[in-house]
């Protein structure tokens, strides 16, 4: 375990870097989606479903899990209650895993800069920057009406799947759920040919946002603070949902997918050691007080990820 913790500390020290603040953008609208995914093709009757939200600005979009945000807020309340009822001088926190399968990753699209930043979570927030996928859409003349909005059809092959998308030209956002993008209007619905991955539109809300854009807008969410107010790393999502301005969490660790995979493996081998060493590296432990955690990693069968390998 000590070797794993030293490895973790070394990787974190090498990778730690505050990501440069993006040019701020006001949140102007919210779109809600019902996301369904057949993760295990041997049990097609067990479709995973989730409520997602797409925050929209003139230059930015952010795709988040509403179900995850609700769980994180409840977990924060649970931890606050444990701290309140703890024995003086000894704090033991039981951090519960979410029993429901949710999308932990968050996707921030910057079309003008042709990039996407994916926020991943392993105690700390990690940011992985990638080129914004260029999707070769074939737009047809077919139209339908979704929730009173006239939409046009487009098809494309993307990440190993053949997608049909319906976009609304009257909603001038060149974004969509997940990594979908590049159409002249907001993507309201999308699904692959086998209906294994489906994004179904549930509603659209304009945000009457008159707050001036804060060019330095960033979140100051940290980890668990033993003394004072409890802060849970990752709750920046809940705050962003009600923020007038887009931001990336302050103090996030910029990394690569390869390095993140190494950290993820370390987490699976020793969850509690990983959590405690990550918190200690960030100075989240107060001297003289001992914190323990009891964490269970729930694994699920997934032979059908949303991104499939291309068949050559």
């Amino acid at each position: 375990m000590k070797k794993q913790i030293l490895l973790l500390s070394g990787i974190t020290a090498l990778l730690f870097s505050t990501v440069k603040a993006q040019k701020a953008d006001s949140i102007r609208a919210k779109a809600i989606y019902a996301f369904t995914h057949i993760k295990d093709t041997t049990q097609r009757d067990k479709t995973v479903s989730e409520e997602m939200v797409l925050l929209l600005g003139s230059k930015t979009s952010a795709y988040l899990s509403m179900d995850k945000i609700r769980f994180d807020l409840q977990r924060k309340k649970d931890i606050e209650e444990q701290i309140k009822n703890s024995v003086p001088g000894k704090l033991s926190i039981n951090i519960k895993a979410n029993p429901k399968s949710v999308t932990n990753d968050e996707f921030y699209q910057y079309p003008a800069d042709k990039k996407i930043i994916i926020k991943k979570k392993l105690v700390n927030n990690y940011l992985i920057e990638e080129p914004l996928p260029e999707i070769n859409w074939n737009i047809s003349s077919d139209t339908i009406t979704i929730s009173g909005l006239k939409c046009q059809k487009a098809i494309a092959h993307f990440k190993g799947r053949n997608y049909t998308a319906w976009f609304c030209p009257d909603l001038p956002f060149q974004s969509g759920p997940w990594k979908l993008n590049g159409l002249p209007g907001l993507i309201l619905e999308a699904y692959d040919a086998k209906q294994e991955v489906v994004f179904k539109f549930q509603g659209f809300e304009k945000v009457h946002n008159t707050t001036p854009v804060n060019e330095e807008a960033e979140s100051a969410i940290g980890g668990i603070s033993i003394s004072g107010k409890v802060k849970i790393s990752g709750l920046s999502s809940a705050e962003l949902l009600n923020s007038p301005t887009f931001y990336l969490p302050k103090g996030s660790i910029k990394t690569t997918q390869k390095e993140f995979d190494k950290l993820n493996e370390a987490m699976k081998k020793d969850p509690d050691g990983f959590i405690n060493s990550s918190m200690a590296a960030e100075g989240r432990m107060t001297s003289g007080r001992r914190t323990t955690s009891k964490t269970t990693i729930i694994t699920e069968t997934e032979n059908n990820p949303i991104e499939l390998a291309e068949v050559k």
Side-chain angles (χ1 to χ4, degrees), residues 285-290:
M285 303 291 191
T286 302
S287 60
R289 304 195 67 174
R290 181 175 179 80

Side-chain angles (χ1 to χ4, degrees), residues 102-157:
V102 295
T103 301
N104 287 303
D105 295 350
E106 298 175 2
F107 302 85
Y108 296 79
Q109 293 187 23
Y110 299 89
D113 296 327
K114 296 183 178 181
K115 69 180 180 182
I116 184 170
I117 294 178
I118 304 169
K119 191 188 91 170
K120 294 176 176 284
K121 183 74 168 47
L122 283 178
V123 183
N124 296 305
N125 292 317
Y126 293 86
L127 301 179
I128 299 173
E129 182 177 319
E130 300 176 354
L132 185 66
E134 293 186 11
I135 306 174
N136 186 23
W137 293 105
N138 181 11
I139 300 175
S140 79
S141 58
D142 296 346
T143 62
I144 60 172
T145 300
I146 300 174
S147 298
L149 298 167
K150 186 177 180 180
C151 298
Q152 196 167 348
K153 182 180 180 180
I155 59 174
H157 183 80

